Amino acid sequence: MNLTQPTTTGPRNDIRLYTLLASVPEGKVVTYGQLAELIGLPRRARWVGQILKQLPNDTRLPWHRVINAQGRISLPPLNGGDEQAKRLREEGVVVSQDGKISLRRYGWKTQPRPRPRLL
DNA sequence: TCCGTGACAAGAC
DNA sequence: CGTCTTGCCACGG
């Protein structure tokens, strides 16, 4: 078996993903791609989505803090999307009515806007 | 094995 | 902004 390439399947990376996700602080959001990259699996954003999809409904993990790179909720409104927006708002994240979220302000590990010099 | 599908991403316009 | 296209990769039929 090829051990030189990072594997995607199997519980190993799943655990790494869960662990990382669990560390995303309240009031912050991450993108699928970021999560994948942070655990050493670049370009596996879709895989992250697959894993999250399988989470039990009563999971304690902050799945709602995961959004797409466009700063939008990827979940259909009637299938979790509304719930996600609700949870995010409950922790202070501003979600515009059309489901847009500012990654600049709420993105985890993303540069907060460089403060403009006042003179 | 080929092919479509998906909680994605980035770039062109 | 929106829409399209391409690239990506795991899965399942």
Side-chain angles (χ1 to χ4, degrees):
Chain A
M1 89 191 299
N2 183 356
L3 298 176
T4 68
Q5 289 294 98
T7 63
T8 316
T9 57
R12 304 208 319 277
N13 289 305
D14 294 35
I15 301 301
R16 305 229 301 147
L17 176 59
Y18 299 146
T19 305
L20 179 62
L21 176 55
S23 70
V24 178
E26 183 179 327
K28 291 291 182 181
V29 294
V30 245
T31 69
Y32 298 90
Q34 281 175 36
L35 288 177
E37 189 152 281
L38 287 172
I39 63 174
L41 296 175
R43 294 179 298 288
R44 305 295 159 85
R46 306 189 79 134
W47 166 76
V48 172
Q50 290 185 70
I51 299 302
L52 297 191
K53 180 172 54 177
Q54 296 167 17
L55 288 175
N57 302 313
D58 61 357
T59 181
R60 206 159 53 74
L61 291 174
W63 57 270
H64 58 283
R65 297 182 189 140
V66 187
I67 62 179
N68 64 34
Q70 280 65 54
R72 317 180 113 289
I73 287 177
S74 285
L75 220 44
L78 299 181
N79 186 28
D82 289 337
E83 174 64 17
Q84 181 169 11
K86 173 175 171 259
R87 293 198 184 194
L88 285 174
R89 292 187 173 115
E90 284 176 353
E91 38 188 77
V93 175
V94 173
V95 183
S96 68
Q97 187 144 24
D98 56 322
K100 178 73 175 175
I101 297 162
S102 169
L103 277 171
R104 180 139 73 200
R105 300 187 209 208
Y106 305 108
W108 186 45
K109 293 178 181 266
T110 64
Q111 281 304 45
R113 168 209 305 224
R115 171 181 283 259
R117 291 257 45 143
L118 305 178
L119 301 192

